[in-house]
Amino acid sequence: MRLVKRADGYYVQFSISVDRAEAIAPTHQTVGLDVGLSCFYTDSLGNKVENPRFYRTGEQKMKRSQRLVSRKVKGSSNRRKARTRLGRVHLKISRQRKDHAVKLARCVVQSNDLIAYEDLRIKNMVKNHCKALSINDAGWYQFRVWLEYFGKVFKKITIAVNPSYTSQECSDCGSIVKKSLSTRTHVCQCGCKLDRDHNAGINILNLGLGTVGHTGTFVLDASNASGESTSTLIGVILSEQAVS
Ligand SMILES: [Zn+2]
């Protein structure tokens, strides 16, 4: 048990060790998720999930409260009050973010047998590393944690793949089609024309399926389940892929 102080009061947390597992029938669906800037993610079928509205409004509210704090005289009681308000804004946004992450992650895991997504730790190292974690990045990170958690609960496979070239490569023929961040459509010589993030989603899914096909050790790692049922699951997924 532990006592936690939050901006709106004290909480008692009880820590209980439970192995949570729920059996659900395989859906025979696999999915790859590409994290975008304009939307929360685009999947390998081209479906886009919008950023929740509080991502935008939350960032503004946080900046406003932060400004109010810095305008008050240091050590004054007004500053203390403003700090408390800032803390509450922060708390509210983090609760909204968690709620969104949990619900979306459970939905994605329940509707798929395998979920592949980018390993953003690698992507962020490549990206501007001076910039603080934006609310988007933080939200995506939390979403990933919940994806992996529900993956274990429902015995589904979750795979983080290396994001290099996932947006540049053609998902149809494999050739590299260079594009800047502002190029929103993937157009390849082979005739493949897709939304940029849709193309990346397919590449991410293919990378994920490739990982499962080649490394046996990953399976036990990913599922936390009995090896037998998981390998049957992978067998099903791989044969599905071969058919389509
Ligand atoms: Zn192509």
Side-chain angles (χ1 to χ4, degrees):
M1 193 196 86
R2 60 176 184 167
L3 268 176
V4 187
K5 188 187 179 211
R6 296 267 186 264
D8 63 346
Y10 288 89
Y11 291 83
V12 183
Q13 290 186 340
F14 296 92
S15 171
I16 307 158
S17 166
V18 181
D19 276 330
R20 186 179 165 196
E22 289 180 38
I24 54 170
T27 59
H28 307 299
Q29 300 293 321
T30 56
V31 76
L33 310 177
D34 176 64
V35 191
L37 291 169
S38 52
C39 55
F40 195 69
Y41 69 69
T42 306
D43 72 17
S44 43
L45 292 171
N47 303 315
K48 284 178 184 287
V49 170
E50 294 299 318
N51 272 322
R53 204 216 298 261
F54 65 81
Y55 271 47
R56 203 160 5 97
T57 55
E59 205 124 31
Q60 289 164 355
K61 273 185 202 154
M62 226 134 79
K63 276 184 195 147
R64 204 180 310 137
S65 317
Q66 183 62 59
R67 269 201 305 274
L68 284 176
V69 172
S70 48
R71 271 197 216 132
K72 308 286 188 241
V73 181
K74 271 187 188 161
S76 69
S77 69
N78 277 340
R79 190 171 173 116
R80 190 168 40 81
K81 281 179 201 159
R83 282 193 75 87
T84 316
R85 264 197 299 274
L86 173 65
R88 287 197 185 168
V89 170
H90 216 280
L91 191 65
K92 181 170 181 193
I93 295 166
S94 71
R95 281 174 180 162
Q96 285 175 315
R97 192 162 61 202
K98 183 186 168 187
D99 185 64
H100 174 253
V102 172
K103 285 173 183 163
L104 191 59
R106 183 165 44 213
C107 176
V108 171
V109 171
Q110 282 181 329
S111 356
N112 293 284
D113 294 342
L114 178 144
I115 303 104
Y117 42 87
E118 297 161 287
D119 193 340
L120 283 186
R121 272 171 298 191
I122 303 176
K123 196 171 189 173
N124 280 335
M125 275 192 280
V126 179
K127 231 172 59 181
N128 182 2
H129 50 83
C130 312
K131 232 173 78 180
L133 215 62
S134 81
I135 199 166
N136 267 43
D137 291 340
W140 175 259
Y141 176 75
Q142 197 168 41
F143 175 65
R144 177 190 165 165
V145 170
W146 284 101
L147 269 183
E148 288 168 2
Y149 170 75
F150 284 120
K152 282 181 185 159
V153 171
F154 296 109
K155 299 190 177 65
K156 302 297 185 83
I157 302 158
T158 52
I159 309 166
V161 303
N162 187 334
S164 342
Y165 304 112
T166 48
S167 57
Q168 312 291 327
E169 212 175 275
C170 173
S171 58
D172 222 22
C173 69
S175 53
I176 299 288
V177 183
K178 285 235 154 58
K179 42 180 107 62
S180 67
L181 256 180
S182 56
T183 317
R184 300 310 309 165
T185 315
H186 165 81
V187 185
C188 180
Q189 287 179 323
C190 74
C192 173
K193 191 179 171 197
L194 285 171
D195 170 77
R196 177 205 175 95
D197 299 333
H198 183 186
N199 178 60
I202 299 172
N203 284 331
I204 290 163
L205 173 60
N206 288 341
L207 277 171
L209 288 167
T211 312
V212 173
H214 296 301
T215 34
T217 48
F218 175 82
V219 178
L220 291 170
D221 213 38
S223 69
N224 202 18
S226 73
E228 204 185 328
S229 64
T230 320
S231 45
T232 329
L233 183 64
I234 292 166
V236 171
I237 293 164
L238 291 178
S239 58
E240 284 281 311
Q241 279 305 111
V243 170
S244 57

